[in-house]
Amino acid sequence: MSNYKTCLLIDDNYIDNFVTRKILESGEFAEKVIVSQSASDAIDSLRSGAIKPDVIFLDIRMPMMGGFEFLQEYDKLDIANKQTIKIFMLSSSLDPTDLKKSTNNKYITSFIHKPLTQKSLDDICK
């Protein structure tokens, strides 16, 4: 049985999205996995109510709007379940500044290093 109804994956890398989506689906992490290759498109979908996720996996380094810029725009959103959505920063970044910024952000549940693994999912679900 799925832990979440809707999972939103925001990452500009097609291969990373393919792998992460397969892991999320095989682990039955969510009933529905939605992929957005653009953080700004994801913000628009959240703002309009087209996507109502329970959990978000967010990359840091993306063109146009990165993960931290997404979080600034997310903070401005007026959506009903914003405080209950779990956001996991999913990144290959080894920059200690990124980890610190993630830890200090009120919306980030935790920082997960890419690639996502079944063990990472198991740890989230505990």
Side-chain angles (χ1 to χ4, degrees), residues 42-89:
I43 286 290
D44 291 343
S45 295
L46 291 166
R47 185 179 292 118
S48 71
I51 299 174
K52 297 178 181 179
D54 305 295
V55 63
I56 297 172
F57 286 93
L58 177 64
D59 189 23
I60 293 176
R61 307 250 189 275
M62 296 180 282
M64 307 297 278
M65 179 187 287
F68 292 113
E69 291 83 11
F70 170 89
L71 292 167
Q72 290 171 344
E73 292 303 310
Y74 181 82
D75 189 51
K76 299 173 190 174
L77 292 178
D78 184 21
I79 55 176
N81 65 331
K82 182 164 76 172
Q83 298 301 329
T84 61
I85 296 172
K86 292 185 177 191
I87 301 178
F88 297 96
M89 194 62 86

Side-chain angles (χ1 to χ4, degrees), residues 7-101:
C7 175
L8 174 59
L9 172 59
I10 306 169
D11 193 326
D12 65 307
N13 187 297
Y14 176 82
I15 299 297
D16 286 344
N17 286 335
F18 180 81
V19 171
T20 302
R21 181 182 202 141
K22 288 295 180 192
I23 290 168
L24 291 169
E25 290 173 347
S26 69
E28 297 181 352
F29 184 76
E31 292 175 25
K32 181 195 266 184
V33 177
I34 300 169
V35 177
S36 178
Q37 287 188 263
S38 161
S40 59
D41 287 351
I43 286 290
D44 291 343
S45 295
L46 291 166
R47 185 179 292 118
S48 71
I51 299 174
K52 297 178 181 179
D54 305 295
V55 63
I56 297 172
F57 286 93
L58 177 64
D59 189 23
I60 293 176
R61 307 250 189 275
M62 296 180 282
M64 307 297 278
M65 179 187 287
F68 292 113
E69 291 83 11
F70 170 89
L71 292 167
Q72 290 171 344
E73 292 303 310
Y74 181 82
D75 189 51
K76 299 173 190 174
L77 292 178
D78 184 21
I79 55 176
N81 65 331
K82 182 164 76 172
Q83 298 301 329
T84 61
I85 296 172
K86 292 185 177 191
I87 301 178
F88 297 96
M89 194 62 86
L90 180 62
S91 180
S92 56
S93 174
L94 298 174
D95 185 342
T97 306
D98 288 340
L99 184 56
K100 185 175 182 180
K101 282 174 76 173

Side-chain angles (χ1 to χ4, degrees), residues 91-122:
S91 180
S92 56
S93 174
L94 298 174
D95 185 342
T97 306
D98 288 340
L99 184 56
K100 185 175 182 180
K101 282 174 76 173
S102 295
T103 303
N104 292 334
N105 187 288
K106 67 182 177 181
Y107 296 113
I108 300 294
T109 302
S110 69
F111 186 102
I112 302 169
H113 287 281
K114 284 183 183 178
L116 185 67
T117 63
Q118 187 59 51
K119 182 180 180 334
S120 300
L121 281 184
D122 293 344

